[in-house]
Amino acid sequence: MDNLNDAQKQAIVHKDGPMMVLAGPGSGKTTVITKRTKYLVEKHGVNPRNILVITFTKAAAREMKERFEQLMKGECQVTFGTFHSVFFYILKQAYHFTAANIIREETKKAYIKESIDRLNLEVEDEADFISNIIGEISLVKSEMLPIEHYYSTNCAEEIFIQIYKEYDQRLRRNQLIDFDDMLVYCYELLSQRSDILAMWQNYYQYILIDEFQDINKLQYEIVKLLAKPRNNLFIVGDDDQSIYRFRGAKPEIMLGFPKDYENTKTVLLDVNYRSSKDIVDGALRVISNNKNRFEKVIKSNRALEQPIVVKSFSDTNEEYKYLIEEIQKNNRSGMLYQDMAVIFRTNLQPRVLIERLMEYNIPFKMKDMVPNIYEHWIAKDLISYIKIALGDRSRSEFLRVMNRPKRYLSRDLLSSSVVDFSLLKEKVKDKSWMVERIVQLEADLDMVKNLPPFGAIQYIRKAIGYEGYLEEYASFRRMQVSELLEILDQLQDGAREYQTFSQWFAHMEEYKVQLEEQMKQREDKNYDGVTLTTMHSSKGLEYQAVFMIDVNEGITPYKKAVKDADLEEERRMFYVGMTRAKKILHIYWVKEMFHKKMSPSRYIGELSFAKERLKVGNEIYHKKYKKGTITYIDEKKMMVYFEQLKDTRTLSIEYAVSQGLIEF
């Protein structure tokens, strides 16, 4: 253990009782878990069969097992598995379940869709709606919530309850379980059968859990049952990297561990072996603004290298141009493309960037499934309007938009596969107001056909009233209309450079083909391409250079985050993104997006006035003052202002920029 630091050694030699290991980014937690397991077997004589190591993914469990077997120089009977695999194994022994009892994902979606159809719900983004409902069902089960008291974020409560109950009934009727049921049934089994519980408690005498910050309430309750009465629980995690609240994972569970187990020993792995001192210090100062966390002092084992670069741009076009130049510069200096990553908050953000990377022949691979925005239902609505304006009279296109916004036209009026406006007006001639609406639609379509794509979308949004339809739909779906308008903004902005509809449609086809080609590269680990990833999906990864883009209020933190708990989770996501970088970290924000003024993220403000070094233009300025380190342009003005402050974090970035104290 000569190459280990003192904190790692302390964790590894621990034997009995609960221990919490706070393991920040790049602190060597996998080494600690595998070597502690080896120590239990070799030094304390623990039977390998009595050790359980739990991770959150199959890949992590496989990697952990391989690392352990390399240490042991051969196979060993320690159990390495995910929560689901371990708990399903317990159920198999009790109920003789097999893989055939686990519902397939497509069957699950089919069950939900059938409920939607039975309830006659008109849902445009059906795939997203089904996915969100499945997520809510999972949350209800994992949080052990009474269904009657659950407030759905996707539809009315009575609708969600009906879908939930129908889904549950069908599972039971067909002797099927989903992944959440594995936990529910396991908890019920161990709670109700003390003899079975005692058997598993005796079998798993030492339990080690990786990424403990991602645990949900139900998983934790089962673990607590299994650990009794020995309570040999060895948990490893980082509350600052808890970013899956939507799955039921909350940092409060880890924060409460020392209260649940009063004799808990705590070790902080306080050395980051991944990132430079600049990055570690900057990231820590941002995350320190969270109140609901364990305080930590973490140091880098690497020297100062390159200061964190914070840079502003007039718009995303300027931002992406600079980003591409930086990627090319790094590559020319010898850095592989695969050693660089672009990190963003949502998977809708990189559409334009993807197009630019293709233009410059820069290879890239996407960590997430990036949706094709032109296949979004809103895009299809716009395209239908345009096709009809250009002369397409197919029933399918007309059906799509005839009541968006509401014109109160019935499907029954469309008796043939081709829509005839004259015949349509004839059918409703006794209702003058309906005739007027059809006449107005014809006039609107005449306008649209003579406009370029950008203008056509603007006319459909405002003059035809499509935005009004989106407002009504957002209200029904309990979502912010801004989420839908953002799709419109992206589509309209992307159409700006095309003069004709044929050019725009050709671009859509080309983009689709290129996107499909890029998706094939996702699983190729040897493919030398820049990684494009959301903050969520970047967790656990590391790169020589990281570029965080669009770090603006409303994006990071995301506009839906309004509660303190949500804002703290957004900050944790930003922290995760920052700590993926080993050597180079660039943080970019834009002053304007979709012709709307934007402000820098509050996290940039938290970073900028509490850093040892910040690159401003071509110079590096730094000045020690009290507890923090202040970056400034005008020393006199800055120091006068700081005489009035007790805490450097109270200086707002907007004030400093407006007063000429700093610039980006």
Side-chain angles (χ1 to χ4, degrees):
M1 293 202 293
D2 294 339
N3 58 341
L4 300 173
N5 63 47
D6 291 342
Q8 289 173 327
K9 290 176 184 176
Q10 188 181 342
I12 288 167
V13 301
H14 174 76
K15 183 175 184 285
D16 294 325
M19 172 169 272
M20 177 172 67
V21 180
L22 297 174
S27 60
K29 65 183 178 65
T30 302
T31 297
V32 166
I33 292 171
T34 51
K35 290 199 172 182
R36 192 251 175 168
T37 306
K38 179 184 179 184
Y39 203 86
L40 285 175
V41 175
E42 292 186 344
K43 300 296 182 181
H44 295 303
V46 175
N47 187 333
R49 290 173 177 267
N50 297 142
I51 302 173
L52 169 64
V53 181
I54 302 178
T55 67
F56 275 82
T57 66
K58 286 182 182 178
R62 185 168 55 249
E63 181 191 349
M64 195 84 73
K65 183 178 180 181
E66 288 170 358
R67 290 269 293 270
F68 177 69
E69 289 178 347
Q70 286 172 7
L71 284 175
M72 300 298 290
K73 296 182 172 54
E75 288 189 21
C76 197
Q77 293 174 313
V78 171
T79 299
F80 290 87
T82 64
F83 281 104
H84 290 104
S85 67
V86 171
F87 297 162
F88 186 60
Y89 180 70
I90 292 173
L91 291 177
K92 281 199 293 186
Q93 308 308 308
Y95 300 136
H96 307 293
F97 280 143
T98 68
N101 294 108
I102 304 173
I103 188 171
R104 296 169 65 89
E105 197 63 26
E106 55 266 33
T107 306
K108 183 191 294 188
K109 290 177 180 177
Y111 284 178
I112 304 297
K113 179 171 172 30
E114 286 167 22
S115 290
I116 292 170
D117 292 342
R118 270 196 298 276
L119 291 167
N120 293 317
L121 297 179
E122 291 186 14
V123 181
E124 299 312 322
D125 49 342
E126 190 174 83
D128 281 344
F129 181 72
I130 290 172
S131 177
N132 291 342
I133 290 293
I134 288 172
E136 288 198 283
I137 290 172
S138 176
L139 187 64
V140 167
K141 291 182 179 182
S142 65
E143 285 287 280
M144 306 170 77
L145 299 170
I147 182 64
E148 293 76 15
H149 299 150
Y150 179 72
Y151 180 83
S152 174
T153 57
N154 282 285
C155 58
E157 277 66 54
E158 60 271 17
I159 291 174
F160 177 76
I161 290 172
Q162 195 162 342
I163 293 173
Y164 180 96
K165 288 183 175 178
E166 285 184 11
Y167 170 71
D168 202 49
Q169 288 163 4
R170 292 193 71 169
L171 287 179
R172 294 175 188 274
R173 197 159 57 239
N174 294 303
Q175 295 183 309
L176 293 171
I177 62 171
D178 60 23
F179 283 102
D180 298 297
D181 289 330
M182 291 181 192
L183 310 184
V184 172
Y185 288 6
C186 190
Y187 177 72
E188 290 175 352
L189 172 69
L190 298 179
S191 299
Q192 296 166 12
R193 290 288 302 272
S194 57
D195 55 332
I196 293 177
L197 174 61
M199 179 187 74
W200 288 108
Q201 287 171 336
N202 193 52
Y203 190 71
Y204 293 134
Q205 295 181 19
Y206 290 85
I207 301 175
L208 298 84
I209 304 175
D210 186 23
E211 302 283 10
F212 188 80
Q213 76 278 351
D214 294 336
I215 201 168
N216 64 40
K217 182 178 180 180
L218 186 51
Q219 291 166 339
Y220 186 39
E221 291 301 323
I222 298 171
V223 165
K224 286 196 288 188
L225 286 173
L226 287 173
K228 291 178 180 177
R230 298 177 181 84
N231 292 331
N232 291 328
L233 263 178
F234 186 87
I235 68 163
V236 182
D238 181 8
D239 54 299
D240 288 333
Q241 295 188 74
S242 179
I243 59 173
Y244 298 116
R245 182 174 287 271
F246 64 94
R247 295 182 192 164
K250 298 175 183 175
E252 291 85 350
I253 296 176
M254 189 167 188
L255 293 169
F257 188 83
K259 297 175 186 173
D260 295 336
Y261 298 92
E262 292 182 358
N263 59 333
T264 297
K265 293 180 180 177
T266 301
V267 172
L268 169 65
L269 302 185
D270 59 352
V271 181
N272 182 313
Y273 293 94
R274 174 191 300 157
S275 305
S276 70
K277 187 177 188 304
D278 301 87
I279 294 167
V280 171
D281 291 348
L284 270 177
R285 288 188 173 107
V286 171
I287 199 64
S288 68
N289 287 274
N290 272 3
K291 295 176 182 176
N292 200 21
R293 64 185 291 270
F294 290 116
E295 288 294 329
K296 306 174 188 73
V297 176
I298 297 175
K299 51 187 178 288
S300 170
N301 79 322
R302 298 171 62 178
L304 288 169
E305 294 187 26
Q306 297 189 32
I308 298 172
V309 173
V310 179
K311 194 167 179 62
S312 70
F313 302 91
S314 59
D315 55 27
T316 52
N317 285 327
E318 186 182 294
E319 177 188 28
Y320 297 157
K321 183 175 182 295
Y322 185 86
L323 168 63
I324 287 169
E325 288 171 356
E326 287 296 303
I327 290 171
Q328 290 172 326
K329 184 174 74 176
N330 288 341
N331 185 247
R332 284 194 299 270
S333 68
M335 187 182 294
L336 296 174
Y337 286 119
Q338 65 189 24
D339 287 331
M340 294 180 265
V342 180
I343 299 180
F344 35 85
R345 174 62 182 84
T346 72
N347 64 1
L348 278 175
Q349 284 174 254
R351 180 191 61 81
V352 177
L353 175 59
I354 288 171
E355 293 176 353
R356 296 293 177 270
L357 291 170
M358 290 173 179
E359 282 177 27
Y360 284 87
N361 293 315
I362 293 177
F364 63 92
K365 50 188 174 183
M366 294 174 287
K367 183 70 179 166
D368 306 82
M369 288 286 291
V370 175
N372 184 345
I373 195 169
Y374 300 118
E375 292 177 356
H376 193 283
W377 62 272
I378 290 177
K380 290 179 179 178
D381 283 356
L382 296 178
I383 292 167
S384 288
Y385 262 119
I386 292 167
K387 284 183 175 179
I388 297 168
L390 294 174
D392 189 330
R393 292 293 180 267
S394 58
R395 184 174 186 268
S396 59
E397 298 290 357
F398 191 74
L399 273 172
R400 181 164 197 98
V401 296
M402 69 180 187
N403 286 313
R404 299 178 187 179
K406 284 181 182 174
R407 298 184 180 91
Y408 301 97
L409 297 174
S410 168
R411 297 171 69 98
D412 299 335
L413 294 171
L414 310 178
S415 52
S416 75
S417 59
V418 177
V419 176
D420 184 326
F421 280 98
S422 298
L423 184 59
L424 203 57
K425 286 182 282 189
E426 181 65 26
K427 287 183 178 181
V428 297
K429 63 183 179 181
D430 57 330
K431 297 176 182 174
S432 59
W433 60 273
M434 288 193 74
V435 174
E436 286 174 13
R437 293 190 181 205
I438 297 170
V439 169
Q440 182 60 53
L441 176 58
E442 287 182 288
D444 287 334
L445 293 171
D446 277 339
M447 284 292 296
V448 168
K449 74 178 180 183
N450 295 313
L451 294 168
F454 181 88
I457 295 173
Q458 182 70 4
Y459 190 87
I460 293 167
R461 291 178 71 157
K462 303 294 185 180
I464 291 180
Y466 187 73
E467 282 191 13
Y469 159 71
L470 291 183
E471 287 174 9
E472 289 183 14
Y473 184 74
S475 176
F476 160 68
R477 278 292 317 279
R478 291 189 171 179
M479 61 196 303
Q480 293 183 6
V481 69
S482 58
E483 293 178 55
L484 302 179
L485 295 180
E486 186 179 325
I487 302 294
L488 266 180
D489 288 339
Q490 285 214 31
L491 289 164
Q492 188 171 7
D493 195 60
R496 183 185 296 276
E497 59 186 277
Y498 302 98
Q499 294 305 309
T500 67
F501 294 121
S502 58
Q503 290 173 346
W504 193 41
F505 291 160
H507 163 72
M508 290 181 196
E509 286 303 312
E510 183 185 353
Y511 181 73
K512 179 182 178 182
V513 170
Q514 291 177 325
L515 202 59
E516 288 171 351
E517 284 298 312
Q518 288 297 328
M519 292 307 294
K520 294 175 184 175
Q521 309 293 348
R522 281 182 73 214
E523 304 304 322
D524 185 356
K525 293 181 180 178
N526 298 316
Y527 179 69
D528 185 25
V530 177
T531 297
L532 307 185
T533 177
T534 60
M535 293 177 186
H536 274 115
S537 296
S538 72
K539 190 163 171 285
L541 306 175
E542 56 183 42
Y543 304 91
Q544 291 294 329
V546 164
F547 304 90
M548 301 182 75
I549 62 171
D550 306 336
V551 183
N552 289 83
E553 282 292 310
I555 299 175
T556 303
Y558 196 55
K559 56 196 163 196
K560 289 171 74 174
V562 290
K563 297 178 181 176
D564 288 344
D566 298 328
L567 288 168
E568 292 212 347
E569 176 138 325
E570 292 284 322
R571 189 177 281 107
R572 290 193 294 272
M573 276 190 268
F574 188 68
Y575 174 76
V576 166
M578 291 180 72
T579 53
R580 301 310 94 199
K582 293 181 178 181
K583 183 178 179 181
I584 297 171
L585 175 60
H586 284 211
I587 299 172
Y588 301 156
W589 64 278
V590 295
K591 297 175 183 176
E592 183 179 282
M593 188 178 290
F594 307 129
H595 299 282
K596 297 171 187 171
K597 285 189 176 181
M598 303 289 287
S599 59
S601 167
R602 68 193 68 186
Y603 307 144
I604 288 180
E606 294 166 0
L607 169 71
S608 302
F609 301 106
K611 286 171 39 48
E612 291 204 356
R613 301 193 299 165
L614 174 69
K615 189 170 182 181
V616 183
N618 295 317
E619 301 294 329
I620 297 171
Y621 296 84
H622 54 93
K623 176 74 176 179
K624 292 278 185 184
Y625 184 75
K626 291 187 179 177
K627 290 185 286 185
T629 304
I630 312 307
T631 300
Y632 61 89
I633 299 298
D634 186 323
E635 180 175 6
K636 258 185 189 176
K637 288 172 76 174
M638 179 65 86
M639 296 311 291
V640 167
Y641 187 62
F642 266 84
E643 287 300 328
Q644 304 165 19
L645 298 176
K646 291 181 181 177
D647 183 350
T648 60
R649 286 181 294 183
T650 60
L651 175 61
S652 76
I653 186 168
E654 290 84 359
Y655 180 86
V657 171
S658 69
Q659 298 299 308
L661 304 180
I662 70 159
E663 63 182 30
F664 293 103

